[in-house]
């Protein structure tokens, strides 16, 4: 059994009663919709301006579905790159979201273990190949990599989003490591069983 008494951060955790109104409203909405507050929300709350900016950037990148990059595929980018960065929080949390958005209870786990062997199509493999390369060896990404994504039907916006999601979650991965944010136990079961 996972130790749920573990602190959610090495840094101060703000009292929810002290949050600015907009963050308090957002946090209450997330908690109501999901049934729990993801630990990253609590861990970032002590610096409200940064928490606000973090979630705004997250929403701008992750809450859109384009013909070239679905919301589920956006989550798989997070899972693959977070696994490459050994970020348990993001692999577990975004693995849960990927299971829901991809409507597949197994795919996120397979991507986390080894995206190269996961049952993805050629386009999805190309996306994760470029994203993981950017995550682990950014100087090795070439114009040919971007052209490869375009050849698979990604628009300029989609190609940019592959890079922006990877870069944003590199930040997230490092903050989760630095603050030692554990994944919420609730994430482990999300999207695994039919409702």
């Amino acid at each position: 059994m996972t130790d749920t008494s573990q602190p959610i951060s090495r840094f101060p955790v703000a009292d929810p009663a002290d949050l600015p109104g907009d963050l308090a409203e957002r946090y209450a909405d997330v908690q109501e919709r999901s049934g729990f507050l993801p630990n990253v929300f609590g861990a970032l709350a002590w610096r409200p301006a940064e928490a606000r900016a973090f979630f705004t950037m997250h929403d701008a990148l992750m809450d859109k579905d384009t013909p070239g990059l679905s919301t589920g595929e956006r989550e798989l980018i997070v899972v693959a790159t977070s696994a490459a960065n050994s970020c348990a929080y993001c692999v577990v949390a975004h693995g849960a979201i990927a299971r829901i958005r991809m409507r597949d209870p197994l795919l996120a786990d397979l991507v986390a273990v080894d995206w190269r062997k996961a049952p993805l199509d050629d386009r999805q493999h190309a996306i994760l190949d470029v994203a993981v390369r950017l995550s682990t060896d950014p100087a090795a990404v070439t114009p040919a990599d971007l052209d490869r994504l375009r050849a698979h039907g990604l628009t300029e916006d989609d190609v940019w989003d592959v890079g922006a999601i990877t870069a944003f979650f590199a930040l997230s991965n490092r903050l989760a490591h630095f603050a030692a944010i554990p994944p919420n136990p609730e994430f482990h079961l999300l999207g695994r069983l039919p409702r």
Side-chain angles (χ1 to χ4, degrees), residues 31-54:
Q31 186 157 2
E32 183 180 320
R33 283 188 291 121
S34 61
F36 65 98
L37 186 68
N39 286 340
V40 71
F41 284 79
L44 296 180
W46 73 294
R47 295 176 60 111
E50 292 169 25
R52 196 176 288 115
F54 182 92

Side-chain angles (χ1 to χ4, degrees), residues 5-30:
S5 65
Q6 174 182 2
I8 66 165
S9 179
R10 292 175 174 151
F11 294 89
V13 176
D15 183 333
D18 296 335
L19 290 175
D22 63 321
L23 286 180
E25 186 176 314
R26 179 184 182 110
Y27 282 32
D29 180 58
V30 167

Side-chain angles (χ1 to χ4, degrees), residues 62-152:
M62 302 304 290
D63 291 346
K64 61 183 171 183
D65 216 350
T66 62
L69 203 57
S70 71
T71 56
E73 290 166 339
R74 291 167 189 273
E75 295 296 340
L76 292 181
I77 292 170
V78 179
V79 172
T81 59
S82 297
N85 287 321
S86 302
C87 181
Y89 182 87
C90 291
V91 168
V92 172
H94 290 274
I97 299 167
R99 287 192 295 273
I100 293 165
R101 290 187 171 176
M102 295 296 291
R103 293 180 174 85
D104 186 323
L106 306 176
L107 184 59
D109 294 341
L110 297 172
V111 167
V113 172
D114 186 351
W115 62 270
R116 291 173 292 282
K117 294 178 183 171
L120 302 167
D121 62 32
D122 289 343
R123 184 181 60 78
Q124 292 167 330
H125 272 112
I127 291 167
L128 296 187
D129 183 41
V130 173
V132 170
R133 183 172 307 115
L134 180 61
S135 181
T136 60
D137 190 10
V141 176
T142 67
D145 291 313
L146 306 187
D147 288 341
R148 184 172 159 216
L149 296 178
R150 292 178 188 110
H152 280 289

